[in-house]
Coordinates of all heavy atoms in Angstrom, one line a residue:
Chain C
R405 N -12.8 -20.5 -8.2 CA -13.5 -21.6 -7.6 C -12.9 -23.0 -7.9 O -12.6 -23.8 -7.0 CB -15.0 -21.6 -8.1 CG -15.9 -22.6 -7.4 CD -17.2 -22.6 -8.1 NE -17.9 -21.3 -8.1 CZ -18.8 -21.0 -7.2 NH1 -19.2 -21.9 -6.3 NH2 -19.4 -19.8 -7.3
R406 N -12.5 -23.2 -9.2 CA -11.9 -24.4 -9.6 C -10.5 -24.6 -8.9 O -10.2 -25.6 -8.4 CB -11.7 -24.5 -11.1 CG -13.0 -24.8 -11.8 CD -12.7 -25.4 -13.2 NE -12.0 -24.4 -14.1 CZ -12.6 -23.4 -14.8 NH1 -13.9 -23.2 -14.7 NH2 -11.9 -22.6 -15.5
H407 N -9.8 -23.4 -8.9 CA -8.5 -23.5 -8.3 C -8.6 -23.8 -6.8 O -7.8 -24.6 -6.3 CB -7.8 -22.1 -8.4 CG -6.6 -22.0 -7.6 ND1 -5.5 -22.8 -7.7 CD2 -6.3 -21.1 -6.6 CE1 -4.5 -22.4 -6.8 NE2 -5.0 -21.4 -6.1
L408 N -9.6 -23.3 -6.1 CA -9.7 -23.5 -4.7 C -10.1 -25.0 -4.4 O -9.6 -25.6 -3.5 CB -10.9 -22.7 -4.1 CG -10.4 -21.3 -3.7 CD1 -11.6 -20.5 -3.2 CD2 -9.4 -21.4 -2.5
K409 N -11.0 -25.5 -5.3 CA -11.4 -26.9 -5.2 C -10.2 -27.8 -5.3 O -9.9 -28.7 -4.5 CB -12.4 -27.2 -6.2 CG -13.3 -28.4 -5.9 CD -14.5 -28.5 -6.9 CE -15.0 -29.9 -6.8 NZ -16.0 -30.2 -7.9
K410 N -9.4 -27.5 -6.4 CA -8.2 -28.4 -6.6 C -7.2 -28.2 -5.5 O -6.7 -29.2 -5.0 CB -7.6 -27.9 -8.0 CG -6.4 -28.7 -8.4 CD -5.8 -28.2 -9.7 CE -4.9 -27.0 -9.5 NZ -4.2 -26.6 -10.7
S411 N -6.9 -27.0 -5.1 CA -5.9 -26.9 -4.1 C -6.3 -27.4 -2.7 O -5.5 -28.0 -2.0 CB -5.4 -25.4 -4.0 OG -6.4 -24.5 -3.9
L412 N -7.6 -27.3 -2.4 CA -8.1 -27.9 -1.1 C -7.8 -29.4 -1.1 O -7.3 -29.9 -0.1 CB -9.6 -27.6 -1.0 CG -10.2 -28.1 0.3 CD1 -9.7 -27.2 1.4 CD2 -11.7 -28.0 0.3
K413 N -8.0 -30.1 -2.2 CA -7.8 -31.5 -2.3 C -6.3 -31.8 -2.1 O -5.9 -32.6 -1.3 CB -8.2 -32.0 -3.7 CG -8.2 -33.5 -3.9 CD -9.0 -33.9 -5.1 CE -8.7 -35.3 -5.5 NZ -7.4 -35.5 -6.0
V414 N -5.4 -31.0 -2.8 CA -4.0 -31.2 -2.7 C -3.5 -30.9 -1.3 O -2.8 -31.7 -0.7 CB -3.3 -30.3 -3.7 CG1 -1.8 -30.3 -3.4 CG2 -3.6 -30.7 -5.1
Y415 N -4.0 -29.9 -0.7 CA -3.5 -29.5 0.7 C -4.0 -30.5 1.7 O -3.3 -30.7 2.7 CB -4.0 -28.1 1.1 CG -3.4 -27.0 0.2 CD1 -4.1 -25.8 0.0 CD2 -2.2 -27.2 -0.5 CE1 -3.6 -24.8 -0.8 CE2 -1.7 -26.2 -1.3 CZ -2.4 -25.0 -1.4 OH -1.9 -24.0 -2.2
R416 N -5.2 -31.1 1.5 CA -5.6 -32.1 2.5 C -4.7 -33.3 2.4 O -4.3 -33.8 3.5 CB -7.1 -32.6 2.1 CG -7.6 -33.5 3.2 CD -8.9 -34.2 2.8 NE -10.0 -33.3 2.8 CZ -10.7 -33.0 1.7 NH1 -10.3 -33.4 0.5 NH2 -11.7 -32.1 1.8
E417 N -4.3 -33.7 1.2 CA -3.4 -34.8 1.1 C -2.0 -34.5 1.7 O -1.4 -35.3 2.4 CB -3.2 -35.2 -0.4 CG -4.4 -36.0 -0.9 CD -4.4 -36.0 -2.4 OE1 -3.4 -35.5 -3.1 OE2 -5.4 -36.4 -3.0
R418 N -1.6 -33.2 1.5 CA -0.3 -32.8 2.1 C -0.4 -32.8 3.6 O 0.6 -33.1 4.3 CB 0.1 -31.5 1.5 CG 0.5 -31.6 0.1 CD 1.1 -30.3 -0.5 NE 1.3 -30.5 -2.0 CZ 1.7 -29.5 -2.8 NH1 1.8 -28.3 -2.3 NH2 1.9 -29.8 -4.1
R419 N -1.5 -32.3 4.1 CA -1.6 -32.3 5.6 C -1.5 -33.7 6.1 O -0.8 -33.9 7.1 CB -3.0 -31.7 6.0 CG -3.2 -31.7 7.5 CD -4.7 -31.6 7.8 NE -5.5 -32.8 7.3 CZ -6.7 -33.1 7.7 NH1 -7.3 -32.4 8.6 NH2 -7.3 -34.1 7.2
N420 N -2.3 -34.6 5.5 CA -2.3 -36.0 6.0 C -0.9 -36.6 6.0 O -0.4 -37.2 6.9 CB -3.2 -36.9 5.2 CG -4.7 -36.4 5.4 OD1 -5.0 -35.7 6.3 ND2 -5.5 -36.9 4.5
L421 N -0.2 -36.4 4.9 CA 1.2 -36.9 4.7 C 2.1 -36.3 5.7 O 2.9 -37.0 6.4 CB 1.7 -36.6 3.3 CG 3.1 -37.1 3.0 CD1 3.3 -38.6 3.2 CD2 3.6 -36.6 1.6
F422 N 2.0 -34.9 5.9 CA 2.9 -34.2 6.8 C 2.7 -34.7 8.2 O 3.7 -35.1 8.9 CB 2.6 -32.7 6.7 CG 3.2 -31.9 7.8 CD1 4.6 -31.6 7.8 CD2 2.5 -31.4 8.9 CE1 5.2 -30.8 8.8 CE2 3.1 -30.7 9.9 CZ 4.4 -30.4 9.8
C423 N 1.5 -34.9 8.6 CA 1.2 -35.3 10.0 C 1.7 -36.7 10.2 O 2.3 -37.0 11.3 CB -0.3 -35.2 10.3 SG -0.9 -33.5 10.4
Q424 N 1.5 -37.6 9.2 CA 2.0 -39.0 9.3 C 3.5 -39.0 9.4 O 4.1 -39.6 10.3 CB 1.5 -39.7 8.1 CG 1.7 -41.2 8.2 CD 0.8 -41.8 9.3 OE1 -0.4 -41.6 9.4 NE2 1.5 -42.5 10.3
L425 N 4.1 -38.2 8.6 CA 5.6 -38.2 8.5 C 6.2 -37.7 9.9 O 7.1 -38.2 10.4 CB 6.1 -37.3 7.4 CG 6.0 -37.8 6.0 CD1 6.2 -36.7 5.0 CD2 6.9 -39.0 5.7
M426 N 5.5 -36.7 10.4 CA 6.0 -36.1 11.7 C 5.9 -37.1 12.8 O 6.8 -37.2 13.6 CB 5.2 -34.8 12.0 CG 5.5 -33.6 11.1 SD 7.2 -32.9 11.4 CE 6.9 -32.0 13.0
Q427 N 4.7 -37.8 12.8 CA 4.6 -38.8 13.9 C 5.6 -39.9 13.7 O 6.2 -40.3 14.7 CB 3.1 -39.3 13.9 CG 2.2 -38.5 14.7 CD 0.7 -38.7 14.3 OE1 0.4 -39.5 13.5 NE2 -0.2 -37.9 15.0
D428 N 5.7 -40.4 12.5 CA 6.6 -41.5 12.3 C 8.1 -41.1 12.6 O 8.8 -41.9 13.2 CB 6.5 -42.0 10.8 CG 5.2 -42.6 10.5 OD1 4.4 -42.8 11.5 OD2 4.9 -42.8 9.3

Side-chain angles (χ1 to χ4, degrees):
Chain C
R405 187 189 299 263
R406 283 201 298 279
H407 167 63
L408 275 175
K409 203 173 161 188
K410 183 179 80 176
S411 48
L412 186 67
K413 186 167 169 289
V414 172
Y415 296 155
R416 185 191 287 115
E417 286 163 7
R418 290 184 185 175
R419 177 201 62 163
N420 294 345
L421 177 64
F422 169 76
C423 293
Q424 192 61 54
L425 286 168
M426 287 290 283
Q427 273 160 1
D428 292 351

